[in-house]
Amino acid sequence: MNCNPIPEREDWFITDRKPTICPRCGKKEVRKAVLGYPTEEDFLNGNIYLVGCIPDFPVERTWGCRNCDAAFFKDNKFNRGRLDMVAHRDKEGRLRLGYPDEITPESITPSEIPF
């Protein structure tokens, strides 16, 4: 399993599959993350991690640690596409939050919408 921390957030990780043990707290409390308003049954279910109604990122976490609130994002082609311009890979191939050094928000020009 490849579970890489995101340096800008000590409690966020990019991983290729669900971790058995949380690398942050060392407990076996990593569960599937569920986004949205929970039902009473979901609230009492110990097999899921409740995210709440507001996602953390353009991609909501895939799994979460019920003990320390660490977030785990699935490292796949779909998520990398959605993280474009918010997360990028540095020269060593590690995933980083924010814009790459050569691109700043000011340098991005919106494309024209033809009407």
Side-chain angles (χ1 to χ4, degrees), residues 74-83:
K74 177 81 171 167
D75 187 11
N76 60 25
K77 185 177 178 180
F78 175 73
N79 282 350
R80 282 193 298 269
R82 292 178 66 194
L83 296 174

Side-chain angles (χ1 to χ4, degrees), residues 95-111:
L95 202 60
R96 302 283 184 169
L97 292 179
Y99 291 92
D101 294 333
E102 63 274 2
I103 300 174
T104 62
E106 296 81 28
S107 71
I108 300 170
T109 57
S111 57

Side-chain angles (χ1 to χ4, degrees), residues 37-101:
Y37 191 80
T39 63
E40 183 178 351
E41 184 180 319
D42 288 341
F43 189 75
L44 299 173
N45 186 347
N47 292 322
I48 61 174
Y49 174 84
L50 295 173
V51 176
C53 297
I54 302 171
D56 328 272
F57 211 40
V59 176
E60 59 272 358
R61 60 183 79 187
T62 311
W63 305 284
C65 179
R66 291 176 54 93
N67 184 59
C68 70
D69 201 36
F72 300 91
F73 299 91
K74 177 81 171 167
D75 187 11
N76 60 25
K77 185 177 178 180
F78 175 73
N79 282 350
R80 282 193 298 269
R82 292 178 66 194
L83 296 174
D84 189 34
M85 302 307 292
V86 177
H88 67 280
R89 294 204 180 268
D90 63 12
K91 293 176 184 173
E92 289 81 34
R94 294 181 300 236
L95 202 60
R96 302 283 184 169
L97 292 179
Y99 291 92
D101 294 333

